[in-house]
Amino acid sequence: MDKELDRYGFEMDLVRKGNTPFYYYNLDVLHATLNEINRQIEGWPFTVHYALKANGNPRIISEIANYGLGADLVSGGEVKAALEAGFKAQEMTFSGVGKTDWEIRLALAHEIGCFNVESIPELEVIDQLAGEMDTTANIAIRVNPDIDAHTHKYITTGTSENKFGIGIEALDQVVKHAIDLPDIDLRGLHFHIGSQITQMQPYIMLCETINRLQDHYENQGIRFKMINVGGGLGIDYQHPDDHPLPDLEQYFNTFKQHLNIRPNQRIHFELGRAIVGQCGSLITRVVYVKENRDKKFIIVDAGMTDLIRPALYEAYHEIQNLTSRQMDHMETYDVVGPVCESSDAFAHDRMLPTSRRGDLLAIRSAGAYGESMASTYNMRSLPSVVFFPSDKH
Ligand code: LLP
């Protein structure tokens, strides 16, 4: 017998049985997204790496590994998790401005595909450690292309005021240095201009910058085996039911059309949010409805410890009441959590059906940077997790 799904596609049995607050992962949405990625890149020299930082849940990452994607990692812990999930070491990239010695050694021991190197001191340490281990490190130099991705200031990464990468003015020197180092194999260049990017213009500018740089280096006889364009493709936080998948066709077409791909060259992508963002919702129970003189508050049992994006970036997440008995009667609420911080709010002045104690709310598009950024502040427990369909293993 088919299980009861609510109007937004939630299996209500699972929702009611869950121990709130919990993440509800819709694996059908995840699989549809992964199938679409593989469809879009078929026949192109493209490798998509999943950025584990977006969601490191062991079940989610092993589902993704099964689709043949590579992994984009930023810590030794992520290297270990990716290996356990079944990602191939050769298809791993390791980014981050502060890689420590043990993390570099771990990645070298597993002969990962590529280190994305962010500074000269880091380059020299990787060379030294590779030498000590009698191996060679494959690297790409992370270039800061000074492109404004027009996204939130905390998640833009490609402008010159940013800590990431090496500025174009210093690149010649770093490229030459990397070529000269004995235990470094310089394979290419890496870029990442920011996150939650929904307009293609910044990506077109990125392609043009890459084309110019490649011409410049080819004139000096330097050819790159690979280019890594990073991640950042955004999702529709406003309308998750209308757009459960990101616009992957438009995204990959931008690179197919604007990037001058050299013969035998591979183009690497590092997508996080676009892969897992829409498959996850945070389910939370209304604890109290409280009215002040000017405002009505829905107080829920989830807080910024479970999903920090609204508190940290003023991020918008769609909120749906899955159990309201008065779906047609709307009121304006602030939806807030129990944590002792004023910023612990999921929404301000949001129109929602009249809500009562005990109602279950879904905070949508929480698959990326939700569970992975959860904390135990206020000695709260970490959120639990439920998978739909529940019988798939
Ligand atoms: N590659 C690099 C080098 C990155 O720094 C990032 C994300 C990615 C790939 C994946 O980006 P994505 O495709 O997911 O946009 N916590 C923030 C987002 C931080 C993104 C950090 N870097 C949020 O909740 O919006």
Side-chain angles (χ1 to χ4, degrees):
M1 199 187 79
D2 276 349
K3 303 259 173 64
E4 179 206 352
L5 298 188
D6 92 321
R7 62 164 80 188
Y8 308 112
F10 287 93
E11 187 183 314
M12 289 312 290
D13 254 11
L14 275 179
V15 169
R16 288 204 187 88
K17 271 200 315 231
N19 180 18
T20 57
F22 62 91
Y23 278 93
Y24 177 107
Y25 291 118
N26 185 329
L27 297 178
D28 290 346
V29 171
L30 178 63
H31 292 151
T33 309
L34 292 163
N35 278 323
E36 181 60 15
I37 287 174
N38 281 340
R39 204 171 72 88
Q40 291 298 335
I41 65 174
E42 206 188 321
W44 287 79
F46 289 177
T47 300
V48 176
H49 302 255
Y50 168 60
L52 260 80
K53 65 168 86 66
N55 189 320
N57 181 287
R59 173 83 184 271
I60 298 276
I61 63 178
S62 62
E63 298 277 345
I64 296 171
N66 283 341
Y67 278 76
L69 274 71
D72 168 43
L73 312 164
V74 290
S75 72
E78 286 191 356
V79 173
K80 289 181 191 167
L83 289 165
E84 266 164 40
F87 288 97
K88 291 200 188 73
Q90 287 68 35
E91 304 292 348
M92 291 182 187
T93 56
F94 190 3
S95 305
V97 293
K99 301 176 192 81
T100 58
D101 292 15
W102 78 266
E103 293 176 312
I104 295 169
R105 283 202 192 93
L106 175 70
L108 284 171
H110 289 280
E111 299 180 353
I112 65 150
C114 194
F115 288 88
N116 294 330
V117 173
E118 309 234 8
S119 66
I120 294 179
E122 181 195 335
L123 181 68
E124 289 174 346
V125 169
I126 294 177
D127 175 61
Q128 184 202 327
L129 296 178
E132 285 169 20
M133 292 172 69
D134 217 4
T135 182
T136 304
N138 297 328
I139 70 132
I141 296 170
R142 175 159 182 187
V143 183
N144 185 331
D146 201 9
I147 291 170
D148 188 350
H150 302 293
T151 175
H152 193 282
K153 64 174 183 295
Y154 290 171
I155 52 179
T156 21
T157 45
T159 68
S160 59
E161 290 177 6
N162 227 282
K163 70 174 174 179
F164 297 105
I166 286 165
I168 288 182
E169 67 294 340
L171 192 58
D172 277 358
Q173 185 205 342
V174 183
V175 165
K176 294 213 171 71
H177 194 34
I179 291 173
D180 289 343
L181 287 172
D183 298 305
I184 293 285
D185 182 2
L186 174 64
R187 305 185 74 87
L189 302 177
H190 170 239
F191 303 80
H192 175 74
I193 56 173
S195 202
Q196 184 51 20
I197 300 168
T198 49
Q199 301 296 315
M200 290 302 112
Q201 195 54 35
Y203 285 125
I204 294 174
M205 286 168 67
L206 174 63
C207 290
E208 288 165 355
T209 301
I210 296 172
N211 293 342
R212 268 200 310 277
L213 283 173
Q214 296 221 82
D215 291 344
H216 169 77
Y217 285 108
E218 277 176 17
N219 285 338
Q220 303 174 34
I222 300 169
R223 285 180 174 273
F224 296 120
K225 296 189 188 79
M226 46 92 37
I227 294 291
N228 185 332
V229 298
L233 175 63
I235 59 170
D236 190 344
Y237 281 99
Q238 259 74 20
H239 309 104
D241 292 312
D242 297 341
H243 299 125
L245 267 59
D247 199 338
L248 293 159
E249 184 175 0
Q250 177 180 245
Y251 174 71
F252 286 111
N253 275 347
T254 302
F255 293 94
K256 289 173 189 172
Q257 283 167 18
H258 294 275
L259 194 60
N260 188 347
I261 304 169
R262 305 323 212 230
N264 301 320
Q265 188 170 61
R266 267 206 105 68
I267 308 302
H268 297 256
F269 299 82
E270 300 171 339
L271 295 175
R273 186 188 323 266
I275 296 177
V276 292
Q278 295 292 32
C279 78
S281 298
L282 179 62
I283 308 291
T284 180
R285 194 177 294 276
V286 177
V287 189
Y288 301 111
V289 177
K290 159 173 169 173
E291 216 172 328
N292 281 357
R293 197 175 58 199
D294 299 325
K295 277 214 186 259
K296 264 194 175 175
F297 293 93
I298 296 177
I299 302 169
V300 294
D301 62 2
M304 62 194 286
T305 52
D306 306 296
L307 174 65
I308 201 174
R309 304 193 68 259
L312 194 56
Y313 318 115
E314 295 164 351
Y316 180 95
H317 284 261
E318 186 64 10
I319 301 181
Q320 294 159 342
N321 187 321
L322 303 181
T323 53
S324 172
R325 281 152 285 182
Q326 289 170 277
M327 280 297 180
D328 300 331
H329 191 258
M330 305 293 276
E331 294 187 67
T332 304
Y333 294 104
D334 275 20
V335 181
V336 302
V339 174
C340 300
E341 298 270 348
S342 301
S343 61
D344 184 31
F346 293 110
H348 296 285
D349 300 321
R350 191 70 69 84
M351 291 278 280
L352 282 168
T354 298
S355 301
R356 296 185 203 193
R357 173 173 167 81
D359 279 352
L360 290 160
L361 308 187
I363 306 178
R364 302 292 307 275
S365 314
Y369 307 108
E371 192 189 345
S372 65
M373 293 179 82
S375 77
T376 57
Y377 180 44
N378 283 195
M379 291 195 184
R380 287 167 55 79
S381 305
L382 290 173
S384 55
V385 172
V386 155
F387 294 97
F388 166 86
S390 49
D391 46 352
K392 260 195 201 159
H393 286 289

